Amino acid sequence: MPHYKSLDRGPVDFKSRVHRKEGDIMTIAKKSVISVPQTMRIKNAVDLMVKEGIRRLPVTEPGTKRLIGVVRTRDILEFLGGGEKFNIVKVKFGGNFLAAVNEPVKMVMERDLTYGTSRMSITEVARLILDRGVGGVPILDDDKKIVGIVSERDFLPFIPEVTGAKVSYYMSRHVATAESSFSILDATRTIVSRGFRRLPVVSGGRLVGIVTSMDILRYLSSNKIFDYLSTEKFEDAMSISVEKIMTQEVFRAAPEMDVGEAARIMHQRGCGGLPVISGDELVGIITEHDLMRLLI
């Protein structure tokens, strides 16, 4: 995502709050890691991600538990209408949704892996996440087995509640949005093509909701999708309005808000980004990824 900064700078140095000891990434990594075999069906993987509220599933070898891939929300959205992986659905399954989602996750998983090691520091893993533009990484031991997983949200507690730095300095100003008339498929394609995880939804220039990659997965996981599946073609189920699945109660930030307050809201509310509103106008968006830049 392009990152645009305003001129009202004034951030302070927060790096001293981040430990630098070699190997201390395991002090914040989640050690209870949910992993799946490459034979798991895509639909089952989606159900698991929705149930656990996670955006990535490590794929491991049976027995050895060594990491061989990762299934992300982005991979699912690409496969089911948003990107190049949809060509598999069109060519192999003729657009048949039910057949496609019963394929194993090995068809969609990411094999070009970004991961940290248990010997790395918190700062090193934070820099790795930023440099690679990913939302989180599995942590491997010397035998390439998963011993933890870290996401951008795990770094938010290192940001003080009061920093003296404004949201307007760290927010992204060029915001991709979805009109309330967009179909779910339109939103999916925009999320994938622009590399975002969320789209503010606007109507008449006013913010009316937000749709995230996880909202789309919830729809795929629910029985609601079958209410709109008049045929077995995926486009039928994805042609309904994004208003049907968007979150209407949107947590927001103001340009003059302290970034520490924005970090606190994201952490407590479990949301990865806040639309930034000035008056009634959407002027930007600030995400967990933006806030991590304070720590590097």
Side-chain angles (χ1 to χ4, degrees):
M1 178 188 302
H3 187 71
Y4 300 88
K5 294 183 178 180
S6 69
L7 297 178
D8 56 342
R9 59 179 62 208
V12 295
D13 184 5
F14 311 118
K15 297 177 185 178
S16 61
R17 292 177 61 92
V18 182
H19 303 299
R20 287 186 170 82
K21 182 180 177 182
E22 182 180 358
D24 69 356
I25 187 58
M26 293 306 297
T27 63
I28 69 168
K30 293 180 177 65
K31 300 176 180 64
S32 179
V33 182
I34 299 171
S35 62
V36 300
Q38 61 179 335
T39 54
M40 174 177 273
R41 294 189 307 164
I42 293 171
K43 178 61 166 62
N44 290 347
V46 170
D47 293 343
L48 182 59
M49 294 168 84
V50 169
K51 177 184 176 182
E52 300 295 333
I54 53 180
R55 295 196 301 252
R56 60 194 58 80
L57 276 176
V59 181
T60 55
E61 291 179 342
T64 67
K65 293 298 181 182
R66 290 186 175 179
L67 183 70
I68 57 175
V70 175
V71 178
R72 308 160 300 172
T73 55
R74 177 184 178 86
D75 298 317
I76 303 295
L77 298 189
E78 283 190 14
F79 182 62
L80 296 176
E84 292 182 3
K85 292 179 182 178
F86 184 52
N87 291 329
I88 301 173
V89 180
K90 290 190 293 185
V91 173
K92 184 173 181 179
F93 303 107
N96 186 305
F97 168 73
L98 297 177
V101 295
N102 280 299
E103 284 296 293
V105 296
K106 67 180 180 180
M107 179 171 288
V108 299
M109 72 182 188
E110 177 63 44
R111 292 177 169 84
D112 182 15
L113 300 175
T114 297
Y115 59 87
T117 73
S118 56
R119 296 178 181 270
M120 295 174 73
S121 70
I122 293 174
T123 305
E124 288 172 328
V125 174
R127 185 175 291 111
L128 175 67
I129 288 173
L130 280 171
D131 289 347
R132 295 298 299 268
V134 295
V137 292
I139 306 299
L140 309 186
D141 64 13
D142 293 341
D143 295 322
K144 304 298 184 185
K145 296 181 181 178
I146 300 178
V147 292
I149 195 164
V150 177
S151 71
E152 291 169 336
R153 193 159 300 165
D154 296 316
F155 294 87
L156 294 184
F158 290 104
I159 300 174
E161 290 190 17
V162 179
T163 68
K166 295 180 180 180
V167 162
S168 57
Y169 178 65
Y170 285 93
M171 72 184 188
S172 296
R173 293 181 176 273
H174 292 189
V175 185
T177 60
E179 294 289 334
S180 56
S181 59
F182 270 31
S183 69
I184 296 176
L185 185 57
D186 290 333
T188 300
R189 287 172 173 165
T190 303
I191 286 174
V192 171
S193 65
R194 299 292 294 272
F196 299 128
R197 300 185 199 125
R198 61 196 60 81
L199 286 177
V201 181
V202 296
S203 179
R206 296 173 64 92
L207 182 72
V208 295
I210 194 166
V211 62
T212 69
S213 56
M214 187 57 74
D215 289 328
I216 298 171
L217 258 63
R218 289 192 191 97
Y219 173 62
L220 297 177
S221 179
S222 72
N223 291 328
K224 292 180 182 178
I225 193 169
F226 297 103
D227 296 338
Y228 302 100
L229 202 62
S230 57
T231 68
E232 294 181 338
K233 299 297 183 182
F234 183 69
E235 287 89 342
D236 292 338
M238 297 290 278
S239 63
I240 68 169
S241 169
V242 74
E243 288 183 309
K244 299 286 187 181
I245 66 167
M246 72 182 187
T247 299
Q248 296 184 21
E249 183 183 355
V250 183
F251 298 105
R252 310 174 182 201
E256 65 275 10
M257 178 184 285
D258 192 290
V259 289
E261 175 69 7
R264 183 189 65 79
I265 294 172
M266 289 185 206
H267 187 249
Q268 291 184 351
R269 300 296 186 176
C271 53
L274 301 174
V276 184
I277 306 295
S278 179
D280 291 330
E281 183 183 359
L282 176 67
V283 295
I285 190 167
I286 188 162
T287 68
E288 293 168 331
H289 196 76
D290 297 321
L291 291 176
M292 281 187 63
R293 299 174 188 276
L294 279 76
L295 303 174
I296 302 301

